[in-house]
C-alpha cells in the first residue's frame, strides 16, 4: 500500500483512539500534550501522521516537538521533558514517519533528532539505552504487595508514619508539590520545570494525574506526581527535602501512590526513568521491580549523541553555581533555562 505522510489534520479523538490501540503507547502520546507543550513552553509541535493513500486510514502517528535555543542548540524530540514518545503504528507507517522526521531534521539543520520509544522500532536509526525504567507488577490488594516487600522497605515506610508524616493527594497539592520539587532540583544543580507545567497537566488530564505530598508538622517535605495510562501508573516526578532525609518521607509517598493505584485497578507501577547503576536506580530496585531498557532512537549531526544535560560536560560548572542560588532566584530563572533542555 502507498502511504501519505503529512501534518496530522484530524481530531484529537481520532488521534487518541489510534494511539490507545497501539503497542507501546504511553500517556505522552496523547493529543492533549500538544496543548500543554505549546501553552507552557511555546515550542513548535510537529504532529505528523502516515495514512493509507487511498482510504485515508491512519497507519502511524508521531508527536514531535522542536526545542531550540542559542545556549543548548536545536533539537527535535518525541517527547521532550518526559520519558516516552516516538512513532506508533504498523511497521511501514513507523518507518515512513521516522524517515520523514530525519528529512525535517536535516532540512532545518537540527543538532539531534531523538525518538523516545518504550519498545524496539523497525527503523534504521541508532538506539540508545542510556536510560531505563523500573516496573513493578501490582497485585489486586495492597496487603499482598505489603507482604511481598523486603523487610527493610517496610521499615522505611513505617518510619515516617511513626514520625507523624501524613500524605495528601489532590489537584490542590500542585503548589506544595512544586515548593518541594523546586528546592530539590536546586539542590541537585538543575533548573526546575515551572509550576505552570504541572498545573497545565492537571487541567488537561484531571482524571489521569495523582499529585501527592507528605507533610510533617504541616509542612510539605516530600512529593510525587504520578500519571496513569491504561493499567499502568508512572511516578513521573518525585522529590524530597534533604533537610528531612532521615524521616524517609519519600518512601511513604511511593507506598501511598501504590495503594491508590491498586485501588484504581492499576496493574503496573512504573518508577520512571533513571540512569543504570545510579543512586536513583538503586532506590527503585529496592522495591522488587524489574529493569526495562528504553529505546531512544537518534539521528545526529556532527556526532552529537544525546540531548544536553545541565550537570555534564561544559554545563557542569553551571550546575555547581546553580546549587548556590537562593531558592527564590532559582525558581525565577529556572523556567527560562529548562524549557530549552529537552
Amino acid at each position: 500500500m502507498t502511504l501519505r505522510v503529512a501534518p496530522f489534520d484530524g481530531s484529537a479523538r481520532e488521534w487518541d483512539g489510534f494511539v490507545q490501540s497501539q503497542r507501546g503507547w504511553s500517556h505522552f502520546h496523547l493529543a492533549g500534550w500538544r496543548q500543554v507543550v505549546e501553552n507552557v513552553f511555546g515550542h513548535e509541535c510537529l504532529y505528523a501522521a502516515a495514512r493509507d493513500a487511498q482510504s485515508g486510514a491512519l497507519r502511524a502517528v508521531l508527536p514531535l516537538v522542536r526545542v531550540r535555543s542559542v545556549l543548548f542548540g536545536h533539537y527535535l524530540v518525541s517527547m521532550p521533558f518526559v520519558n516516552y514518545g516516538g512513532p506508533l503504528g504498523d511497521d511501514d507507517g513507523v518507518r515512513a514517519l521516522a524517515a520523514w522526521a530525519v528529512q525535517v531534521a536535516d532540512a532545518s539543520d537540527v543538532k539531534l533528532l531523538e525518538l523516545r520509544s518504550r519498545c524496539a522500532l523497525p527503523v534504521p536509526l541508532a538506539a540508545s539505552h542510556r536510560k531505563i525504567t523500573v516496573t513493578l507488577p501490582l497485585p489486586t490488594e495492597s496487603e499482598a504487595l505489603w507482604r511481598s516487600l523486603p523487610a527493610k522497605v517496610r521499615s522505611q515506610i513505617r518510619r515516617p508514619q511513626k514520625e507523624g508524616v501524613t500524605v495528601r493527594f489532590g489537584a490542590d497539592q500542585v503548589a506544595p508539590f512544586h515548593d518541594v520539587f523546586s528546592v530539590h532540583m536546586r539542590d541537585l544543580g538543575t533548573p526546575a520545570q515551572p509550576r505552570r507545567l504541572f498545573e497545565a497537566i492537571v487541567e488537561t488530564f484531571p482524571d489521569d494525574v495523582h499529585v501527592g505530598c507528605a507533610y510533617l508538622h504541616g509542612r510539605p517535605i516530600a512529593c510525587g506526581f504520578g500519571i496513569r495510562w491504561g493499567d499502568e501508573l508512572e511516578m513521573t516526578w518525585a522529590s524530597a527535602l534533604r533537610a528531612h532525609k532521615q524521616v524517609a518521607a519519600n518512601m511513604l509517598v511511593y507506598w501511598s501512590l501504590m495503594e491508590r493505584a491498586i485501588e484504581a485497578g492499576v496493574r503496573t507501577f512504573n518508577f520512571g526513568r533513571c540512569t543504570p547503576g545510579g543512586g536513583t536506580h538503586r532506590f527503585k530496585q529496592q522495591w522488587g521491580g524489574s529493569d526495562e531498557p528504553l529505546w531512544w532512537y537518534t539521528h545526529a549531526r556532527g556526532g552529537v549523541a544525546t540531548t544536553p544535560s545541565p550537570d555534564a560536560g561544559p554545563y557542569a560548572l553551571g550546575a555547581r553555581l546553580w546549587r548556590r542560588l537562593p531558592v527564590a532566584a532559582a525558581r525565577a530563572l529556572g523556567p527560562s533555562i529548562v524549557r530549552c533542555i529537552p
Side-chain angles (χ1 to χ4, degrees):
M1 294 183 181
T2 304
L3 296 177
R4 175 174 56 87
V5 175
F8 179 74
D9 56 2
S11 67
R13 183 176 180 179
E14 181 190 21
W15 177 283
D16 286 350
F18 181 83
V19 162
Q20 292 169 339
S21 70
Q22 301 302 309
R23 171 179 171 267
W25 79 280
S26 73
H27 197 277
F28 312 112
H29 285 94
L30 296 177
W33 281 93
R34 180 172 192 166
Q35 174 184 330
V36 170
V37 170
E38 289 178 340
N39 290 350
V40 175
F41 299 107
H43 294 317
E44 179 186 8
C45 292
L46 308 172
Y47 278 43
R51 294 183 182 271
D52 183 278
Q54 294 183 338
S55 68
L58 281 175
R59 297 278 300 280
V61 296
L62 172 63
L64 193 62
V65 179
R66 190 187 302 277
V67 181
R68 175 163 43 190
S69 69
V70 174
L71 179 61
F72 295 106
H74 186 183
Y75 301 87
L76 284 174
V77 184
S78 175
M79 287 283 289
F81 317 119
V82 292
N83 307 331
Y84 310 123
L88 294 175
D90 64 33
D91 287 357
D92 289 340
V94 165
R95 279 191 288 265
L97 283 174
W100 171 85
V102 167
Q103 290 177 350
V104 172
D106 289 345
S108 52
D109 201 26
V110 164
K111 195 174 187 180
L112 176 71
L113 165 69
E114 187 169 67
L115 306 178
R116 298 177 176 177
S117 178
R118 182 77 179 268
C119 55
L121 298 177
V123 297
L125 299 176
S128 168
H129 302 295
R130 72 181 189 276
K131 296 295 182 181
I132 63 172
T133 190
V134 177
T135 57
L136 178 68
L138 296 179
T140 56
E141 296 182 359
S142 58
E143 181 60 31
L145 177 61
W146 179 260
R147 291 194 302 268
S148 73
L149 295 176
K152 181 180 178 181
V153 171
R154 294 198 300 267
S155 176
Q156 290 175 316
I157 294 170
R158 292 191 185 103
R159 184 184 307 165
Q161 293 174 321
K162 293 176 180 177
E163 295 287 340
V165 174
T166 58
V167 179
R168 307 174 197 167
F169 284 92
D172 61 343
Q173 297 302 303
V174 172
F177 162 86
H178 194 264
D179 287 345
V180 175
F181 175 74
S182 57
V183 173
H184 175 78
M185 297 302 288
R186 189 285 308 265
D187 291 346
L188 292 177
T190 302
Q193 296 286 4
R195 190 172 87 179
R196 179 59 192 144
L197 170 63
F198 304 103
E199 292 172 340
I201 296 171
V202 172
E203 291 166 3
T204 307
F205 308 103
D207 297 330
D208 303 339
V209 176
H210 299 260
V211 189
C213 288
Y215 288 83
L216 178 64
H217 308 312
R219 295 186 58 190
I221 62 172
C223 62
F225 196 102
I227 301 178
R228 176 183 179 175
W229 64 93
D231 62 356
E232 183 170 352
L233 189 148
E234 179 191 71
M235 181 73 91
T236 309
W237 291 278
S239 297
L241 299 182
R242 289 183 176 177
H244 300 278
K245 182 178 180 179
Q246 296 304 316
V247 179
N250 59 329
M251 297 295 290
L252 186 56
V253 171
Y254 273 82
W255 169 250
S256 299
L257 184 56
M258 289 178 192
E259 286 188 303
R260 288 175 63 89
I262 290 172
E263 292 175 2
V266 172
R267 290 294 169 262
T268 300
F269 189 89
N270 185 327
F271 286 86
R273 84 178 186 222
C274 58
T275 301
T280 302
H281 183 204
R282 292 190 293 273
F283 170 86
K284 296 173 180 181
Q285 283 184 314
Q286 71 181 326
W287 295 85
S290 301
D291 292 351
E292 181 181 311
L294 301 183
W295 296 76
W296 288 12
Y297 291 88
T298 62
H299 172 72
R301 175 176 60 81
V304 176
T306 65
T307 48
S309 174
D311 58 355
Y315 310 114
L317 175 61
R320 291 195 293 270
L321 295 175
W322 195 266
R323 295 186 187 102
R324 301 180 181 180
L325 284 179
V327 172
R331 286 174 177 161
L333 298 173
S336 61
I337 297 174
V338 76
R339 67 179 297 275
C340 302
I341 306 174

